[in-house]
Every structure is written in C-alpha cells, then in structure tokens.
Amino acid sequence: MTGYLDTASAEPLHPAAREALLAALERGYADPRRLHHPGRDARLLLENARAVVAECLGVRSDEVGFTASGTDAVHRGLLGLVSARRSRGDGVVHTAVEHSSVLHAVGWRPSPAHVAVGVDRDGRVDPEEVAAAARNPGVVAVAVQAANQEVGTLQPVDDLDLPDDLPLFVDAAAAVGRVPLPRRWSALAASAHKWGGPPGVGVLAVRRSARWTTPFPGDDGLDQPGGFADVPGALAAAAALQAVLADREETAARQHRLVERVRAAAAALPDTEVVGHPVERLPHLVTFSCLYVGGDELVAGLDRRGFAVASGSACTASSLEPSHVLAAMGALTHGNVRVSLRRDTTEDEVDAFCSALVECVTEIRAGAGL
Amino acid sequence: MTGPDAGDDPVEIDCRELPCPRPVIELARALPSVAVGGLLAVVARDPAARHDVPAWCRMRGQEYVGEEAADDGAPRYVVRRLS
C-alpha cells in the first residue's frame, strides 16, 4: 500500500472492517424483516451497526440508515428535506464547492430559487452570505458541506444563522472520522469507504425533529432506505468507524504534521500554489497546482515513481471540464494534484513523495521547454 | 477597469486547438514580445483557459483585463504586461 496517497477517493479497508465483514458474511445473510431465527440474527447485526454509527455521529439509532453509497445518501438526504416542503417552494441554497452529488441533486429539479453561494480564495463560504440567501422566497433547504473533498477546507457550518424552520443538509463524507463534525444539521450524509469501511455503504442521518420524506419510491423510514440492506457491509462500516474514531486525534495530529511537509515542499517549487485553507483544513489532505504542467502528466509521472494521487485538472476528468471547486476558488486548475494520506503513511514515504514531485515537475517543465 | 480599445490593439496568439495547459504555456512564452504596458490576447477554446489565464496573471504579477470573443466567436482572454 506504500505510495497510495488517494484516501480521499477511497481509503483501504480497515482491518477492523475486514474482520467484521467476514464474520457478518457468515451470519448476516437473511432478510432482517423476517421473524425466523436467521432473520432475527441479521436484524441484530443491522441494529448493532446502526447503534454504533449513531453513537459515532452523536445521534439516536433510529435517526440513522444505510444507503447504497455516499451519493445515494446525499440524494436521499437533501431531496427528502426538499420533498417534505414541496408546498412552500423548491429552492436550495448551497455552496459553489459542494460535491458533485449535491450539485446533481440540486440540478435534478431546476428552480429559479436555487442559489450557489461563492467561496473565498481558501475555498471557505461566508456564513452570513449563506444566511442572507437562505431568506430568499422559495428557499426550502440549505446545503453546506462539513469539509471540502478536493482542497480540505473546513466550512463554518456551526456559524450559520438560519431561520428556525429552514432545514440544513450537511455532506460530511470528507469529514467523518477526520475532524469533529458540525452539530447543527437536519440531515447528514457520509460514505463508509472514505473512512476505511467497505465501498457501497452510505450513511444517512436524519434528525427526528426534521421534516423529511423519502424523495424516491419506498417507505419514509431509515430502516432500509433503497431496499434490502447490505447487513455485512453496514456492520463492517460501523466497525471501521468505531476503530478510526478511537485514535482519531492521534492520527489527525500525525497526518497534520506530515501534510505540513508536503505543503512546504509544494510551496517551495517555483510557480506552484498550495490551495485550500492552511489551518482550517482536514488533517490528511493537501492540494496544489503547478503552472505549465498537465495534471494528467503529473499523475502519470508520479504513478511511474510509485505514488498514486488524484487531480482536479480537466485533462484528468471525463468531462474535460476542470474542477468546479478550483474554478470557484479562482485557483489554477491545470497541474493540479490532491494528496491524501493513509493512517499508516510514514514520514519517509512523504519525503520520498516530495522528492518525486520535484523531479516530476522539473522534468515535465523541461520537456515543455520552460 | 481598463478594457482593450481601438488605439490599443493587442498582440494575439492563436491557441484555439491547443489543450490545457498549452494556452498558458504559449501565453508565458509570448509575453516578452509585448512591451510593458502592452496587451496580449490568447484565443483558446480549452475550457480551463477561462480560469487559468486569470490565475496565471495573479501568480505572475500581470493584469488580467478580461474576456471577449474573437471574430469566429472563440473566447479571447486579454492580458496586460505589467513587468
């Protein structure tokens, strides 16, 4: 796993998740809605998973459900808040740097009342600007992420002063297991493979006090949103989250220091800017952009040297459009690299990465005659 | 602020068919051919140029004047050399 520095896309399976998954695959096959013994066994495992995740998120068990993915949790969470207020309007106020799953959910039902609120150079939204937009007529929900998935900037979610009856949706996929979560929200979504759980397991939390109805066919509950639950996956996700949170502060402090080294190495490169808030940020993630270098060339060059990183540059995207996050920040979109550390990334590995980066950027620029 | 006008004809470089980051590389190469205070225009269809030309100006201490359309409708980004 050495050299894998793309945990913000997918964290390798945590050993605690592997163990729980294997045990639950044996025991948790039945339909948790059935009253027979195997069904009751599966129900027990599912309820155990809900209870653990609920405790980790600081909510009640019946406020948590498992979905087919983080994207699915976002869609159900946000659109469910909108559906419950259909009679009052359909507008959503959101930051311009939300994850594409949030933007897709907002765009699914176009409305003149939708507002995208811009961010500053660090990628941070102004809570007062969000609160002002939230008072527009026809606005029925607000969506603000806990932390940005591309540049790591934490958003001031708890500073939002919203009207009492206006629900807040928080996409916490980048933040869960990494930083303390915002406290004031109506619905929150997360994704297990971002914290070392298995892929294909999303988490949707909806407070009992929030008005929420399922936006898709099915029952209005969180027991099994979207159909038959992946009981082993849910249990493995819960086990990983519990394990990750047990040493979160220690891991975060170590990663924070290691990221500081990458930030310094990138900032020392000529014509390179580190993007994202330098202090109010996720501990394990750093993004920077290098002038005159293609993001695809950089990803390939680092891959040849044994390092796996992500890029928000257009040439690495299927859409050929550069990252909407970098664009909203006014940051350079080409030559972009996002580095996100594993829990066991070492100092030596980070230093080797920094050397490879310097080599790679120098080589590509020399190839372009610069 | 200031916009390009008739008496202030920019030097134009054609990067219509170049992928990112080539338009910005060509911009950097062409800048020395323009007098300090003069204008340089990059015509580029690549969608990243809309963000990267202003970002380049900020990083390199040059002035981004604005976006306009070339005769064929392709986006044209105008830069003023400051140093």
Side-chain angles (χ1 to χ4, degrees):
Chain A
M1 219 88 81
T2 302
Y4 180 74
L5 300 176
D6 191 16
T7 60
S9 295
E11 176 86 34
L13 197 65
H14 193 285
R18 179 183 301 276
E19 202 180 309
L21 187 62
L22 292 176
L25 281 170
E26 293 293 327
R27 264 187 72 193
Y29 56 88
D31 186 338
R33 284 167 298 202
R34 298 291 171 248
L35 300 178
H36 45 60
H37 185 80
R40 292 201 308 274
D41 230 13
R43 167 60 59 191
L44 199 68
L45 296 182
L46 182 60
E47 291 308 325
N48 185 4
R50 289 178 81 179
V52 168
V53 171
E55 198 193 336
C56 290
L57 298 179
V59 296
R60 297 163 39 140
S61 275
D62 59 358
E63 293 175 314
V64 170
F66 295 100
T67 61
S69 65
T71 294
D72 187 35
V74 164
H75 291 173
R76 288 175 187 278
L78 176 54
L79 293 172
L81 294 173
V82 174
S83 292
R85 275 159 201 80
R86 207 166 314 182
S87 60
R88 297 170 55 180
D90 55 4
V92 177
V93 170
H94 60 93
T95 80
V97 296
E98 293 298 309
H99 187 267
S100 57
S101 58
V102 174
L103 301 183
H104 287 151
V106 173
W108 195 47
R109 293 189 178 125
S111 162
H114 290 332
V115 181
V117 180
V119 293
D120 65 14
R121 182 61 47 75
D122 289 328
R124 231 166 126 86
V125 76
D126 176 355
E128 286 181 18
E129 217 178 310
V130 175
R135 285 170 169 80
N136 289 346
V139 171
V140 294
V142 173
V144 178
Q145 61 192 190
N148 186 268
Q149 64 286 351
E150 287 185 44
V151 301
T153 299
L154 304 181
Q155 301 295 355
V157 178
D158 283 335
D159 297 342
L160 286 168
D161 181 17
L162 300 177
D164 284 341
D165 55 344
L166 193 64
L168 173 64
F169 172 78
V170 171
D171 167 16
V176 169
R178 311 284 181 186
V179 289
L181 295 179
R183 291 180 303 276
R184 295 168 53 185
W185 44 264
S186 311
L188 174 143
S191 179
H193 74 122
K194 306 282 188 197
W195 69 66
V201 180
V203 169
L204 172 60
V206 180
R207 293 205 198 270
R208 281 167 59 88
S209 57
R211 279 167 54 208
W212 178 89
T213 55
T214 179
F216 304 140
D219 296 333
D220 276 341
L222 290 171
D223 180 36
Q224 296 189 64
F228 195 96
D230 175 359
V231 173
L235 199 72
L241 185 55
Q242 200 169 36
V244 163
L245 287 179
D247 53 15
R248 184 187 64 76
E249 285 180 36
E250 194 189 318
T251 306
R254 185 174 63 249
Q255 291 179 328
H256 213 275
R257 282 195 302 276
L258 292 175
V259 159
E260 215 47 69
R261 293 174 89 88
V262 180
R263 289 180 71 93
L269 276 167
D271 293 319
T272 298
E273 64 175 2
V274 179
V275 292
H277 200 285
V279 181
E280 294 294 316
R281 62 169 173 87
L282 292 173
H284 67 305
L285 189 155
V286 54
T287 299
F288 50 88
S289 297
C290 310
L291 262 181
Y292 314 131
V293 174
D296 53 349
E297 294 173 283
L298 211 37
V299 169
L302 289 167
D303 191 39
R304 275 198 301 277
R305 289 166 172 85
F307 295 99
V309 298
S311 170
S313 296
C315 47
T316 65
S318 51
S319 60
L320 292 177
E321 285 289 333
S323 146
H324 68 279
V325 173
L326 298 175
M329 294 168 67
L332 187 71
T333 74
H334 73 242
N336 179 258
V337 165
R338 180 187 69 186
V339 175
S340 46
L341 310 182
R342 305 182 316 280
R343 260 181 305 280
D344 59 354
T345 301
T346 63
E347 194 173 304
D348 285 349
E349 189 181 344
V350 163
D351 290 346
F353 170 78
C354 293
S355 309
L357 174 69
V358 173
E359 222 177 86
C360 206
V361 171
T362 310
E363 184 183 288
I364 296 168
R365 283 183 178 160
L370 289 158
Chain B
M1 282 220 331
T2 51
D5 57 48
D8 207 10
D9 232 7
V11 175
E12 184 178 294
I13 50 174
D14 178 8
C15 300
R16 281 179 180 76
E17 306 311 322
L18 297 183
C20 146
R22 288 287 304 285
V24 175
I25 293 177
E26 297 309 321
L27 169 61
R29 282 205 177 109
L31 194 76
S33 67
V34 177
V36 172
L39 297 177
L40 180 60
V42 190
V43 182
R45 288 208 171 89
D46 187 277
R50 178 161 292 125
H51 312 290
D52 289 354
V53 173
W56 177 87
C57 290
R58 179 171 50 73
M59 289 171 74
R60 300 296 307 173
Q62 309 298 334
E63 181 190 338
Y64 179 62
V65 177
E67 176 181 343
E68 50 191 36
D71 293 342
D72 62 350
R76 187 173 123 119
Y77 307 98
V78 183
V79 170
R80 185 187 306 278
R81 182 176 174 190
L82 296 182
S83 59

